[in-house]
Amino acid sequence: MMEKDQEAREGKLTLVLALATLIAAFGSSFQYGYNVAAVNSPSELMQQFYNNTYYERTQEIIESVSLTLLWSVTVSMFPFGGFIGSLLVGPLVNKMGRKGALLFNNIFSIVPAILMGCSKVAKLFELIIASRLIVGICAGISSNVVPMYLGELAPKNLRGALGVVPQLFITVGILVAQLFGFRSLLATEEGWPILLGLTGVPAALQLLLLPFFPESPRYLLIQKKDEPAAQKALQRLRGWSDVHLEMEEIRKEDEAERAAGFVSVWKLFKTQSLRWQLISIIVLMAGQQLSGVNAIYYYADQIYLSAGVASNDVQYVTAGTGAVNVFMTIVTVFVVEFWGRRLLLLLGFATCLTSCIVLTIALALQDTVSWMPYISIICVIAYVIGHALGPSPIPALFITEIFLQSSRPAAFMVGGSVHWLSNFAVGLIFPFIQVGLGAYSFIIFAVICLLTTVYIFLVIPETKGRSFIEINQIFAKKNKVSDACLDKEELKDLPPVISQ
């Protein structure tokens, strides 16, 4: 009777769990989104600052090509920093814990926020470039640690919804940066250093508030071997004292992993029982970034202008697209536990695929058919909706779900590295693809969307409502580990499926 009562209460979103989710996501994920978009609006003013500063030093103006290169470096330092941050995830979460890693990570936000805010007064544009690298490290760490932290705090029936919250705050960060970046607000000569410096505010709030919330119970029990602390953390998160069923589940996960010990990135690539999990996160993370989402945003202004939107009004239409992104991510938070991860991924990538194909046709016929620019706008909005449904929020949640405790940090390091290197590659290569292929550049993204959709359909299982051990047993069959030598495989001592 008691067990049934506990299971009936499993879905409860307690105040402690809700606040921990909001503080972790606002303090970390929000900044990631904010810094993605913060340099877009004031880019011309910032390049002018680069030029003026250089002129004051040398009495010479920076050549056009050199200025473009300098600006490209400024923008691309962010994803490069993200890649470095991803490599730090494993050591940080294993040594400091999930909460500890997030608190430490705020250094990589507050310091660059101060440097960027002071760059104009100091007349040092180099501070902005260095700060973009540091704040990129912050984003690289947070984009991996926040989904891991929330996935381990949540009960399994809320894991999907809470796992999408980081992506929601990324989209909110992008929208806030777009709104603050209006020419009537902070995209001004005096305002742009404030626009860049505001990224430190969420970090400062997280530094003040997150210490009052629990560490991941899984980390406390499995890695710290601190059973009383893990039990206390679970009791605070669930809102009731009897948490023995969940403690037992974590203990069984611990037993299942003792043979493996700590799983490094190298061991992750060598372990047969993790082969399809590893391939899946590489495909999903690469598909997420190489599906053209950055290119769509890059092209959006041009599409709006060709549809007759006045150049001064493009900033408002762009913010409107950002608002659609936020709205659809909120929808995903509510539907992910009903529709499941697999369906949302399939639906999202299929929508992006269709949008890329129709957008290619619309751009090719834009100058010959009068109403084609409006089709292009519909395609941009449809693409944003599709990406917000599946490709944007689900992959990071999926990493948390398909890996057990010992391999999860290494998996996030691999997934995060693929994410940021793909992001960096698109930012670096897309302008050249655009020059070479023009409207037909979206065919490349359509092909990537198609291949990712086919992979999801053939390989990715549904994970909603399942425990971490049950999910790993599904993959155990795919990996054919029963036929392999399991002396040191992660799933050697896997217990039977826990009856629901």
Side-chain angles (χ1 to χ4, degrees):
M1 191 71 178
M2 196 180 288
E3 287 186 9
K4 283 185 180 175
D5 186 40
Q6 184 175 338
E7 284 187 7
R9 293 180 296 178
E10 267 186 348
K12 191 176 169 188
L13 181 64
T14 60
L15 185 63
V16 172
L17 181 57
L19 289 176
T21 302
L22 291 174
I23 292 162
F26 176 66
S28 297
S29 305
F30 175 89
Q31 292 181 67
Y32 169 11
Y34 187 86
N35 284 297
V36 163
V39 293
N40 291 350
S41 298
S43 60
E44 288 178 19
L45 296 167
M46 289 171 71
Q47 287 176 65
Q48 190 59 50
F49 164 67
Y50 284 21
N51 228 331
N52 293 344
T53 307
Y54 187 77
Y55 183 77
E56 283 181 29
R57 292 180 199 169
T58 63
Q59 305 305 306
E60 292 177 12
I61 291 172
I62 305 175
E63 290 180 14
S64 176
V65 175
S66 301
L67 184 61
T68 303
L69 182 62
L70 204 55
W71 185 248
S72 294
V73 169
T74 304
V75 174
S76 59
M77 276 295 107
F78 182 71
F80 183 66
F83 170 64
I84 295 170
S86 294
L87 299 180
L88 298 174
V89 168
L92 281 176
V93 295
N94 286 320
K95 194 167 184 62
M96 298 181 169
R98 282 62 169 144
K99 186 178 85 169
L102 288 177
L103 290 171
F104 174 77
N105 192 32
N106 288 314
I107 296 168
F108 297 114
S109 177
I110 293 168
V111 171
I114 294 166
L115 294 178
M116 287 190 287
C118 298
S119 58
K120 193 178 180 190
V121 176
K123 295 184 178 177
L124 289 167
F125 61 79
E126 293 86 353
L127 284 180
I128 296 171
I129 297 171
S131 297
R132 289 283 292 172
L133 176 69
I134 299 167
V135 89
I137 293 171
C138 172
I141 294 170
S142 69
S143 63
N144 292 294
V145 179
V146 177
M148 191 190 306
Y149 178 55
L150 298 184
E152 292 178 12
L153 292 190
K156 63 187 175 191
N157 55 314
L158 288 178
R159 204 167 55 221
L162 297 190
V164 174
V165 170
Q167 181 60 35
L168 172 60
F169 273 84
I170 290 170
T171 62
V172 171
I174 292 170
L175 179 59
V176 169
Q178 288 170 337
L179 295 174
F180 284 175
F182 283 168
R183 293 181 197 105
S184 55
L185 289 175
L186 292 177
T188 62
E189 283 282 354
E190 299 76 30
W192 67 260
I194 300 168
L195 179 68
L196 299 185
L198 282 174
T199 186
V201 174
L205 284 170
Q206 187 182 80
L207 207 53
L208 289 170
L209 298 173
L210 194 60
F212 297 104
F213 291 88
E215 176 56 272
S216 158
R218 276 185 152 72
Y219 170 77
L220 292 171
L221 184 59
I222 294 177
Q223 276 157 287
K224 299 296 281 185
K225 309 297 179 192
D226 190 344
E227 192 163 322
Q231 186 168 332
K232 189 180 175 185
L234 262 182
Q235 287 168 341
R236 284 190 66 200
L237 289 163
R238 300 295 175 260
W240 57 74
S241 57
D242 182 18
V243 291
H244 77 277
L245 276 182
E246 211 166 342
M247 287 288 287
E248 188 59 33
E249 188 185 301
I250 298 171
R251 274 192 213 98
K252 283 181 178 174
E253 189 180 326
D254 185 23
E255 287 164 18
E257 298 186 320
R258 277 185 193 159
F262 170 70
V263 178
S264 64
V265 171
W266 175 243
K267 189 171 183 180
L268 189 64
F269 276 93
K270 290 200 306 178
T271 305
Q272 185 182 338
S273 62
L274 296 171
R275 190 157 297 160
W276 279 108
Q277 292 96 309
L278 185 63
I279 294 168
S280 295
I281 63 158
I282 291 171
V283 170
L284 288 178
M285 281 298 186
Q288 180 194 64
Q289 290 302 309
L290 301 178
S291 58
V293 63
N294 294 330
I296 285 280
Y297 279 114
Y298 185 90
Y299 236 105
D301 287 7
Q302 229 174 296
I303 290 166
Y304 298 145
L305 287 169
S306 67
V309 177
S311 57
N312 280 339
D313 295 337
V314 164
Q315 58 180 340
Y316 304 116
V317 181
T318 303
T321 310
V324 169
N325 199 0
V326 172
F327 175 74
M328 287 312 301
T329 310
I330 292 170
V331 170
T332 306
V333 170
F334 288 101
V335 301
V336 67
E337 290 300 348
F338 295 102
W339 291 5
R341 289 65 153 148
R342 188 171 181 271
L343 178 60
L344 286 176
L345 282 170
L346 286 169
L347 194 60
F349 275 107
T351 304
C352 293
L353 165 65
T354 309
S355 300
C356 284
I357 293 169
V358 178
L359 182 59
T360 304
I361 297 165
L363 290 173
L365 299 175
Q366 195 153 272
D367 297 328
T368 52
V369 181
S370 61
W371 44 267
M372 272 299 165
Y374 302 106
I375 299 295
S376 300
I377 290 180
I378 292 167
C379 286
V380 169
I381 293 167
Y383 184 98
V384 168
I385 289 170
H387 217 271
L389 270 178
S392 285
I394 304 297
L397 160 65
F398 203 66
I399 298 175
T400 304
E401 293 192 320
I402 66 173
F403 288 92
L404 297 179
Q405 191 79 12
S406 63
S407 54
R408 199 171 289 135
F412 267 102
M413 286 172 72
V414 173
S417 300
V418 172
H419 170 98
W420 288 104
L421 284 175
S422 302
N423 190 327
F424 183 69
V426 170
L428 214 58
I429 297 165
F430 178 70
F432 299 101
I433 294 173
Q434 190 202 359
V435 170
L437 295 176
Y440 298 100
S441 54
F442 284 98
I443 289 292
I444 296 170
F445 301 123
V447 170
I448 291 167
C449 287
L450 176 63
L451 293 174
T452 312
T453 307
V454 170
Y455 180 88
I456 292 162
F457 183 77
L458 295 176
V459 176
I460 301 292
E462 184 50 71
T463 58
K464 74 167 183 177
R466 290 189 164 113
S467 70
F468 293 133
I469 290 178
E470 288 173 311
I471 294 163
N472 265 263
Q473 286 178 327
I474 294 169
F475 274 100
K477 290 175 186 171
K478 289 182 186 293
N479 292 315
K480 296 185 169 59
V481 288
S482 56
D483 302 323
C485 176
L486 293 178
D487 286 349
K488 293 203 173 183
E489 295 286 351
E490 186 176 27
L491 303 180
K492 180 184 175 186
D493 300 320
L494 208 61
V497 176
I498 300 160
S499 59
Q500 295 302 303

